[in-house]
Amino acid sequence: MTAIRPRRSALYMPGANARALEKAKGLSADVLILDLEDAVAPDKKDEARGLIRAALTEGGYDGREIVIRTNGVATSEFQSDLELVAASKPDAVLVPKVESGADVTTIRSALMEANAALPIWAMIETPLGILNVAEIAAAAAHETHPLACFVIGTNDLVKDTRAQLSADRAEAMFWLQSTVTAARAFGIDVLDGVFNAFKDLDGYRRECDQGLRLGMDGKTLIHPTQIEYANTVFAPSDSDVASARQILEAFDQPENAGKGVITLDGKMVELLHAEMAQRTVALADAIARRGN
C-alpha cells in the first residue's frame, strides 16, 4: 500500500499575508495551501512569492503537508510561480482549472523543465474539468510527478454553471460524485470544496458530514475555526479502528491463511474488508504520528 498522508483539513493561506503565513505554523491543519492565485491581487503576486519563499526557508511547518497553489498554466504568472516551487520545494503543487489529460502532461513537462520533482494536485473547478475528470484521472501515474490529489472548486463551478446550491448541495451531486469516482478509479485522493459561511458552524458541519458520506478524504477550508471539525470527521473513529485491527488480526491467524472469506463475530468478512481495514489502520497511525 502507498504511504497514506492524512488530508482531513486543507487550509488556504493567502501568500501575500505574512501574518497569516506565520500564524499557520501553530495551526493543526493537515495541509496548508499557500495561495498565489485567488487570494492574491494581481499587483501583489511578486510580493506573495517573496513571502512564501521566506516563510518556507525559515520553516516551522513540521508535520504539515505544504502545497503551493500556482496561477493557471496559461497565465503570465505561471513561470514565476514554478521558479518559486522549484526553489522552495513544497510537498506538492496545486494547479487551478485543470481540464484535460493534456493539461496534466503540460504541467508535468513544465515541472520537469523547472527541475521541480514533486506531485501534482489538480483543481477540478470548471464544467469542462468535470466532463473530462476521468481522462484527467487516467493521467495520474508517473514516477516523479504523479497526480496525487483532486481539489474540487465548487465556487468556480457555481459561477460557471450558474447553479444555485441548496443546503444539501443536490445540484452539485454530479460534480462531486463524478470527481470522487474518477479519483478512486486511479488511486487519487479528493478534497471537497470550501464552505464560505465560516460563521455558520451547523451548515459547515452538515457539509463535512456529507463530504465524508460521498467518499471525500478531507475538506478545503478558508478559516482556522473550521480545522477542528474536519480533523474529527475525516478521521476514523476509535471503534472503526478497533474493528479494523480485529479484522486484520483475524486474517493473520494461521487457520485463516489463504482464505478469501472468514467468519468473525457471526459475520462474513471478505478480503475486501481486510483491504478497507488496512487503509483505516494506516490512516489512524498516520494521524497519530501527526499528533492530533
Side-chain angles (χ1 to χ4, degrees), residues 79 82-90 107-118 144-145:
Q79 188 58 45
L82 281 189
E83 292 171 6
L84 168 67
V85 166
S88 299
K89 296 180 175 59
I107 295 163
R108 192 169 277 146
S109 296
L111 287 170
M112 293 173 73
E113 186 174 342
N115 196 29
L118 70 167
T144 55
H145 300 82

Side-chain angles (χ1 to χ4, degrees), residues 33-248:
I33 301 175
L34 310 185
D35 194 11
L36 291 168
E37 196 211 12
D38 287 347
V40 179
D43 62 346
K44 296 289 186 181
K45 301 291 187 181
D46 284 339
E47 179 183 345
R49 282 188 281 265
L51 289 172
I52 289 175
R53 184 192 294 261
L56 295 185
T57 298
E58 181 178 309
Y61 299 100
D62 298 345
R64 298 3 152 341
E65 191 169 11
I66 303 298
V67 179
I68 293 178
R69 178 163 74 166
T70 67
N71 293 277
V73 174
T75 69
S76 61
E77 304 289 348
F78 185 66
Q79 188 58 45
S80 296
D81 292 346
L82 281 189
E83 292 171 6
L84 168 67
V85 166
S88 299
K89 296 180 175 59
D91 295 299
V93 59
L94 173 60
V95 182
K97 295 178 174 56
V98 175
E99 297 186 316
S100 67
D103 284 352
V104 178
T105 300
T106 298
I107 295 163
R108 192 169 277 146
S109 296
L111 287 170
M112 293 173 73
E113 186 174 342
N115 196 29
L118 70 167
I120 299 165
W121 288 25
M123 295 288 305
I124 306 299
E125 56 181 343
T126 68
L128 192 56
I130 293 296
L131 291 176
N132 291 336
V133 70
E135 173 195 319
I136 296 167
H142 195 270
E143 184 175 351
T144 55
H145 300 82
L147 177 55
C149 189
F150 282 156
V151 177
I152 302 176
T154 42
N155 284 339
D156 281 85
L157 283 163
V158 165
K159 175 180 68 70
D160 288 350
T161 62
R162 297 191 288 276
Q164 298 180 27
L165 298 193
S166 50
D168 65 359
R169 297 196 294 179
E171 302 80 7
M173 281 301 112
F174 175 69
W175 316 335
L176 302 176
Q177 292 176 324
S178 295
T179 304
V180 170
T181 302
R184 295 295 173 253
F186 293 94
I188 301 169
D189 276 0
V190 56
L191 303 183
D192 200 357
V194 300
F195 185 81
N196 298 312
F198 63 87
K199 292 186 178 181
D200 178 7
L201 297 182
D202 289 339
Y204 169 67
R205 289 167 181 153
R206 283 195 302 271
E207 198 162 288
C208 283
D209 295 345
Q210 181 192 55
L212 178 68
R213 293 195 301 273
L214 288 170
M216 305 288 182
D217 294 288
K219 192 160 183 66
T220 47
L221 315 175
I222 60 170
H223 197 275
T225 58
Q226 297 176 321
I227 295 171
E228 183 179 359
Y229 193 74
N231 280 352
T232 299
V233 168
F234 290 101
S237 68
D238 291 344
S239 61
D240 287 342
V241 176
S243 177
R245 293 191 190 279
Q246 186 181 21
I247 290 171
L248 295 178

